[in-house]
Amino acid sequence: MTALAGLWSRRDEATEPAVGRMLDAQAGFGPDPAIRRTLDAATLGRRLYSLVPEDDFDRGPVLGGDGTLLLVADARIDNREEIASALGLSINLARTAEPQLLMAVVEQWGIAGLARVVGAFAVMLWDARRGVLTLARDPMGERPLFYHRGDGFVAAASMPRGLHAHPDIPYAPSETATADFLAILPEGEESFFAGITRVRPGHAVAIDADGIAETRLWTPTRTILRLKPDDYAEGLRAELDRAVTVRLRRIQGAVGSHLSAGLDSASVAATAARLLTPEPLHAFTAVPGVGAPVPGGTIGDEGPIAARVAALHANIVHVPVRGDGRSPLPLLDRHFDLYQRPVMNPWNAIWGEAINDAARAQGVSVLLTGQLGNFTLSHDGVPHLAQLFGTGRLGALATLTRQLRAQGWRRRRIGAATLGPFVPPAVWTWLVDRFGHSLALEGYSALRPGAIADLDSRAAARGTDLSYRPWRDGRAMRLWGLDRVDMGSYNKGTLAGWGIDLRDPTADRRLIEWALSVPDEQYILDGKPRSLARRAFADRLPPELIGEQRRGYQAADWHIGATAALAAVAAELDSIERCRSAGAVLDVERLRALIRDWPDFPADDPRWNQLAVTDRYRSMLLRGTAAGHFLRRAARSN
């Protein structure tokens, strides 16, 4: 993973020293010496963090196009042989660095050729002949990239701190982006810093003297596979095998994996263990502290089932990572410095960082995750109910309903999934308020009333319905969910903080395309949600996990550390209140009232799991405090 910086200036400015400062500001994300190259009015540079063997041959920005193109990249290409063959290259691939291969792609097919590249990448391309700076990212945004378009110049960098090294780029938070974050809207183009724009995953942004043009690099074709049920399971196994295999390529260090009681991380870990044999796989499971209650239908301690997975594979070294009831407040400064954005679930970050600590202690350099598995491996197929109703296949709907009832589904749940997509948003909101769990922003968000006023229009512009009705199209639902994901800054920060490269096989583009082509009924076959993953990995996972219907409940001990940290939370709110930007976004007085009304339940009291409690305290107070901390740090407020 590499820290990038670039500057194109149409004014009297020395671009090479400026890019040097931008790279130095990102030294934590790329420890190798900075290498810069200038072509006419633009300078591109990089600081390398060597992760794959071919990085030994990375000499920095690559010149091409008969001297008219300059390219720098932060990349791991997973289909190198396929790309080289399509290009007709007769080269020694083992000695060809990723930027060289990407330059060959661009020379042959233009920037649109990046759609052929499978893997993780952020690319800067300067075309001196046309006077165009193009920035591009991989479909799942595994590598970050940001830019600022100023008066007579354009600057780009891997992380905002690189851009802030330029004296003409303001240093201030984006109040709008933070408000959207607290409303859990999909991220827009604006970053969490004012004046800094995020290159969206799977997009290319071309900037010239006249303006900006954005194009989508990756749009999966709408195809439907027609196979036998067993062939779908075999196909999913093959796709995951390939996705894991390409993510094992590394220079040194051990391989680790998250391992929970869920299908996604367990399937990834089991597959990696098979592929690594006899090399060990270090598998890390977060388990809560003693006395932490969990909501009904969930698993608080995923350790026992994870241990059963490990027992099936002789080379898995299972490492339970036990929570100790810590507060995340001492971590907030570190989060700001590493990720350059607020963290959505600060209490989950505690066990995430504990796993990173344990992985580093085991010498792990590559840590596999399964974060996007809900959209690929373990899609539940529930939208198929609405599909059947909407297309008039009432006999098939009745059969599926009976099967779900046999699995323990209640009629109300089935009815909501079947009819909810066809109910007007206002009616759905009323029904949820009346019979279910209210999704009103006021119930879980720390936003002040004035900051909520125009969220509906911003949500609609991003394809989001704040009534959160069920979906009738599983493919559309998953594409919408994937568009919400941007893990680049977290990946970059984890590498800088722990020397660990996070890699998610469930985010593999080819796996995603294959999963989207599977008919929804295969995911809920015989009334069993997640049926495809259960069938596909029954030979790799224990029966206890394959048959498990409950979901894991992360950070079940959140309230223990929070109770002990109330004084620190109150002190943080004092600092937040002094920040103008935070006051424009957050309802600080309401957060103070939540501290005053903090429940006095015993630590093992199940009332901690009431939705009204978790919404107000875990989501509103704790997430709001973390967002406020980000705002005051970004505003440089005490």
Side-chain angles (χ1 to χ4, degrees):
M1 199 179 292
T2 302
L4 307 180
L7 178 62
W8 166 36
S9 182
R10 302 189 305 280
R11 57 190 191 179
D12 186 16
E13 179 178 9
T15 58
E16 193 157 322
V19 169
R21 292 189 293 271
M22 294 165 67
L23 289 171
D24 288 346
Q26 301 177 93
F29 305 110
D32 280 12
I35 299 180
R36 297 159 290 175
R37 191 162 189 169
T38 300
L39 177 61
D40 292 345
T43 297
L44 304 183
R46 65 96 169 123
R47 295 185 69 117
L48 183 66
Y49 199 129
S50 296
L51 296 174
V52 294
E54 296 79 10
D55 284 341
D56 286 343
F57 305 97
D58 186 330
R59 302 294 178 257
V62 178
L63 194 64
D66 295 325
T68 65
L69 298 177
L70 185 64
L71 179 146
V72 67
D74 173 13
R76 187 200 72 243
I77 303 175
D78 293 336
N79 62 335
R80 292 168 56 84
E81 292 80 8
E82 175 187 326
I83 291 293
S85 176
L87 288 168
L89 297 178
S90 55
I91 57 175
N92 183 350
L93 268 180
R95 300 178 64 86
T96 303
E98 314 293 51
Q100 291 175 268
L101 198 53
L102 290 169
M103 176 60 88
V105 167
V106 170
E107 288 178 314
Q108 179 72 21
W109 299 308
I111 204 70
L114 294 178
R116 297 172 178 248
V117 176
V118 176
F121 62 81
V123 173
M124 296 183 188
L125 175 71
W126 166 242
D127 186 331
R129 180 178 58 83
R130 296 171 53 228
V132 178
L133 178 65
T134 301
L135 312 171
R137 293 178 69 196
D138 66 85
M140 292 301 104
E142 294 187 70
R143 298 289 193 265
L145 194 57
F146 300 87
Y147 68 94
H148 171 87
R149 186 167 181 255
D151 183 13
F153 75 97
V154 178
S158 292
M159 295 292 278
R161 70 167 62 252
L163 293 170
H164 286 141
H166 192 290
D168 293 338
I169 298 178
Y171 196 115
S174 167
E175 296 169 8
T176 301
T178 308
D180 292 351
F181 164 83
L182 287 169
I184 320 183
L185 296 187
E187 292 181 32
E189 293 181 8
E190 186 176 20
S191 78
F192 288 94
F193 289 91
I196 293 180
T197 303
R198 174 183 73 117
V199 179
R200 294 194 293 168
H203 286 73
V205 177
I207 309 170
D208 61 19
D210 297 323
I212 298 174
E214 182 186 57
T215 58
R216 181 180 283 273
L217 290 174
W218 176 74
T219 301
T221 57
R222 193 176 188 105
T223 58
I224 300 296
L225 293 171
R226 299 298 179 191
L227 307 174
K228 297 177 181 178
D230 287 348
D231 291 338
Y232 287 111
E234 179 58 36
L236 184 57
R237 281 193 296 272
E239 290 295 332
L240 184 60
D241 285 348
R242 178 169 62 177
V244 172
T245 297
V246 297
R247 283 164 177 78
L248 300 178
R249 183 165 58 107
R250 64 200 188 281
I251 289 180
Q252 60 184 2
V255 177
S257 178
H258 286 192
L259 175 58
S260 70
L263 285 162
D264 302 321
S265 65
S267 298
V268 168
T271 300
R274 290 161 62 101
L275 294 169
L276 284 168
T277 301
E279 182 183 346
L281 174 78
H282 302 269
F284 304 90
T285 305
V287 296
V290 177
V294 297
T298 66
I299 305 171
D301 185 353
E302 302 182 72
I305 291 180
R308 291 285 296 122
V309 176
L312 291 179
H313 304 275
N315 62 326
I316 288 184
V317 179
H318 189 214
V319 184
V321 179
R322 184 163 296 280
D324 56 8
R326 285 185 295 162
S327 163
L329 261 66
L331 304 177
L332 294 181
D333 282 326
R334 179 179 174 85
H335 292 166
F336 181 89
D337 293 333
L338 289 178
Y339 308 128
Q340 297 265 271
R341 55 167 295 148
V343 174
M344 177 63 72
N345 295 305
W347 242 264
N348 288 355
I350 293 176
W351 65 256
E353 295 209 358
I355 284 179
N356 291 343
D357 289 342
R360 180 170 58 184
Q362 296 287 334
V364 167
S365 63
V366 170
L367 186 62
L368 304 177
T369 70
Q371 292 175 306
L372 296 190
N374 287 342
F375 305 112
T376 52
L377 298 185
S378 64
H379 173 49
D380 59 18
V382 171
H384 188 53
L385 286 159
Q387 290 175 9
L388 293 175
F389 177 78
T391 55
R393 290 178 284 172
L394 301 185
L397 176 60
T399 298
L400 182 54
T401 296
R402 287 194 298 271
Q403 293 169 336
L404 287 169
R405 290 283 293 150
Q407 295 289 325
W409 278 47
R410 296 182 177 181
R411 289 188 176 88
R412 181 182 294 179
R413 184 180 182 187
I414 296 171
T418 303
L419 304 176
F422 304 96
V423 174
V427 176
W428 177 257
T429 299
W430 180 86
L431 289 170
V432 171
D433 286 346
R434 176 68 177 82
F435 299 106
H437 170 221
S438 174
L439 297 176
L441 282 169
E442 295 83 355
Y444 65 85
S445 168
L447 289 170
R448 69 177 186 84
I452 294 175
D454 59 348
L455 279 171
D456 282 331
S457 60
R458 297 207 298 275
R462 297 174 203 168
T464 298
D465 175 358
L466 288 177
S467 71
Y468 291 103
R469 291 175 299 169
W471 290 75
R472 63 179 297 183
D473 183 337
R475 183 179 189 275
M477 179 191 73
R478 286 180 283 165
L479 285 173
W480 175 84
L482 290 168
D483 270 347
R484 293 173 62 95
V485 175
D486 190 338
M487 296 303 298
S489 295
Y490 293 117
N491 292 346
K492 187 71 75 176
T494 302
L495 185 66
W498 289 271
I500 293 172
D501 190 13
L502 293 178
R503 301 180 183 178
D504 185 0
T506 66
D508 185 270
R509 195 194 80 187
R510 291 173 294 194
L511 173 59
I512 292 170
E513 291 171 344
W514 189 90
L516 290 172
S517 70
V518 174
D520 258 1
E521 59 261 28
Q522 288 298 318
Y523 291 102
I524 197 168
L525 196 65
D526 299 325
K528 298 177 180 178
R530 299 178 177 80
S531 169
L532 182 54
R534 298 182 197 280
R535 288 179 279 140
F537 304 113
D539 65 330
R540 304 179 184 184
L541 302 175
E544 299 95 319
L545 192 153
I546 292 295
E548 182 60 70
Q549 299 293 326
R550 298 171 296 168
R551 287 184 177 273
Y553 185 71
Q554 297 171 333
D557 53 357
W558 67 273
H559 58 283
I560 298 173
T563 300
L566 286 181
V569 174
E572 178 63 35
L573 289 178
D574 289 340
S575 298
I576 289 169
E577 193 169 35
R578 293 192 292 269
C579 174
R580 187 206 60 80
S581 291
V585 175
L586 298 171
D587 190 341
V588 178
E589 281 307 311
R590 191 175 185 197
L591 298 182
R592 289 191 186 281
L594 289 175
I595 293 179
R596 292 193 297 269
D597 297 337
W598 187 264
D600 59 358
F601 310 147
D604 59 353
D605 194 314
R607 285 178 293 177
W608 284 111
N609 298 314
Q610 294 173 346
L611 289 173
V613 171
T614 57
D615 279 353
R616 285 198 297 266
Y617 298 104
R618 183 168 180 169
S619 297
M620 186 186 301
L621 175 60
L622 301 178
R623 182 179 296 154
T625 301
H629 180 274
F630 173 84
L631 286 166
R632 73 173 182 84
R633 281 289 310 273
R636 293 178 168 172
S637 172
N638 291 329

